[in-house]
Amino acid sequence: MTRVSLRPVLNEAAEALRAAGVHSPRADAEQLAAHLLGVERTRLMMVPLVEPELVTRLRGLVDQRARRVPLQYLTGLAAMGEIDLAVGPGVFVPRPETELLFAWALAQLEALPHDHEPIVVDFCTGSGALALAVAHARPDAQVHAIEIDPEALKWARRNADDRIADGDTPITLYADDVTDPSLLTELDGRVDVLLSNPPYIPDGAVLDPEVADHDPHLALFGGPDGLDVIRAMVPNIARLLRPGGVTAIEHDDTNGAALAALLTARGDFTDVVEHPDLAGKPRFVAAIRT
């Protein structure tokens, strides 16, 4: 069967996604094609002709994407740091913005004495993205990750097993509640870095279909102002961190100042700093345990 040119197929796909309101139609069309071809998106130009069967499969994926199924659910992968994570229905898709939280964590770990075995905790780990990316980058670290949602925890365990198969240091996963006062008491006052990308969207917020219809709501919403889960977990953060230990908490772009004020008011933290994302929006707040 005669092969066909990929370029007009990509143009058609991008136009279909644009008409459906997808925010990055061309990029998504190219990413889906690259996924089916098993190549990097940047190498699509090296594949000018494709089999008709691939065009049929691509159109099927584009149709799903046009119905606002998340791109990562269709490719089955999301990235964090230097690793790829399996994602799909039932787990929150890691966002590129969280890469900033990950980079911040690595900088904090790099500042520790080189003969010190770091202890890192990831609250609300979801797919395991932050915990596993840290473990990959810092195999000397002892990494603990907590997730309350059984479906999300299945994905985290799958990703943890995949990382072990690839030679990474294992992490310790817990099916637990980050607001439980008895959580991880064996680590009281010992944790060097505590990260969290918790549920933080205010109830009633208007969300894109990819989020509202597919991300688990347990991972999204944090009460009327988005801070309910964060308020309840901050005492555990203060309890777990050693003096001089650091925390960083991702938040909705409407409540960075409120989160900073919350940490400051406790009296357990110093050097409370709001960090913006690459678009200049408030993204996470970091602080040092006094």
Side-chain angles (χ1 to χ4, degrees), residues 117-221:
E117 180 185 39
I119 298 177
V120 180
V121 173
D122 178 20
F123 273 8
C124 308
T125 196
S127 63
L130 281 170
L132 291 167
V134 168
H136 175 79
R138 290 296 301 257
D140 59 323
Q142 182 187 137
V143 182
H144 303 262
I146 296 87
E147 176 56 52
I148 195 172
D149 185 343
E151 289 303 310
L153 198 61
K154 290 177 185 178
W155 287 99
R157 288 193 173 117
R158 172 180 170 180
N159 285 316
D161 289 344
D162 288 346
R163 298 314 311 160
I164 291 172
D166 284 345
D168 279 359
T169 303
I171 68 171
T172 305
L173 283 167
Y174 303 81
D176 219 324
D177 182 350
V178 298
T179 70
D180 183 350
S182 65
L183 177 70
L184 297 180
T185 52
E186 69 277 11
L187 295 180
D188 281 0
R190 298 175 54 204
V191 175
D192 296 290
V193 178
L194 195 151
L195 306 170
S196 185
N197 182 12
Y200 59 62
I201 297 175
D203 294 346
V206 178
L207 304 172
D208 287 335
E210 289 89 343
V211 180
D213 298 341
H214 296 280
D215 276 325
H217 285 197
L218 189 62
L220 296 177
F221 296 105

Side-chain angles (χ1 to χ4, degrees), residues 45-66:
M45 66 179 67
M46 307 296 291
V47 190
L49 300 174
V50 295
E51 301 295 335
E53 183 269 342
L54 184 135
V55 175
T56 300
R57 292 169 60 200
L58 177 58
R59 285 172 174 157
L61 289 180
V62 168
D63 180 63
Q64 292 184 70
R65 185 71 187 95

Side-chain angles (χ1 to χ4, degrees), residues 3-290:
R3 292 192 296 169
V4 299
S5 175
L6 180 59
R7 183 179 295 275
V9 175
L10 287 175
N11 291 341
E12 170 195 294
E15 183 53 41
L17 296 180
R18 185 176 295 106
V22 172
H23 294 307
S24 51
R26 184 74 191 189
D28 284 21
E30 292 178 353
Q31 193 62 53
L32 290 172
H35 165 66
L36 291 176
L37 287 164
V39 301
E40 295 292 328
R41 179 186 164 203
T42 54
R43 298 187 63 82
L44 281 178
M45 66 179 67
M46 307 296 291
V47 190
L49 300 174
V50 295
E51 301 295 335
E53 183 269 342
L54 184 135
V55 175
T56 300
R57 292 169 60 200
L58 177 58
R59 285 172 174 157
L61 289 180
V62 168
D63 180 63
Q64 292 184 70
R65 185 71 187 95
R67 287 185 270 117
R68 309 302 289 272
V69 176
L71 174 69
Q72 296 85 353
Y73 280 13
L74 299 175
T75 64
L77 293 173
M80 182 60 62
E82 294 183 347
I83 67 172
D84 288 328
L85 302 134
V87 294
V91 71
F92 179 80
V93 175
R95 306 300 202 256
E97 293 87 350
T98 305
E99 294 274 2
L100 299 173
L101 189 61
F102 168 64
W104 176 91
L106 291 190
Q108 307 310 306
L109 292 170
E110 187 62 30
L112 295 174
H114 291 295
D115 60 350
H116 175 72
E117 180 185 39
I119 298 177
V120 180
V121 173
D122 178 20
F123 273 8
C124 308
T125 196
S127 63
L130 281 170
L132 291 167
V134 168
H136 175 79
R138 290 296 301 257
D140 59 323
Q142 182 187 137
V143 182
H144 303 262
I146 296 87
E147 176 56 52
I148 195 172
D149 185 343
E151 289 303 310
L153 198 61
K154 290 177 185 178
W155 287 99
R157 288 193 173 117
R158 172 180 170 180
N159 285 316
D161 289 344
D162 288 346
R163 298 314 311 160
I164 291 172
D166 284 345
D168 279 359
T169 303
I171 68 171
T172 305
L173 283 167
Y174 303 81
D176 219 324
D177 182 350
V178 298
T179 70
D180 183 350
S182 65
L183 177 70
L184 297 180
T185 52
E186 69 277 11
L187 295 180
D188 281 0
R190 298 175 54 204
V191 175
D192 296 290
V193 178
L194 195 151
L195 306 170
S196 185
N197 182 12
Y200 59 62
I201 297 175
D203 294 346
V206 178
L207 304 172
D208 287 335
E210 289 89 343
V211 180
D213 298 341
H214 296 280
D215 276 325
H217 285 197
L218 189 62
L220 296 177
F221 296 105
D225 63 356
L227 292 173
D228 280 4
V229 175
I230 293 174
R231 283 191 193 92
M233 75 184 191
V234 164
N236 280 343
I237 295 174
R239 172 174 57 81
L240 289 168
L241 286 175
R242 63 168 174 79
V246 293
T247 187
I249 305 166
E250 191 166 323
H251 56 75
D252 185 73
D253 59 19
T254 64
N255 56 27
L259 173 53
L262 172 65
L263 293 176
T264 300
R266 278 191 59 87
D268 297 315
F269 300 97
T270 187
D271 294 328
V272 178
V273 178
E274 299 178 51
H275 291 260
D277 61 20
L278 296 178
K281 296 180 179 179
R283 183 53 53 193
F284 69 91
V285 172
I288 300 174
R289 180 70 166 92
T290 53

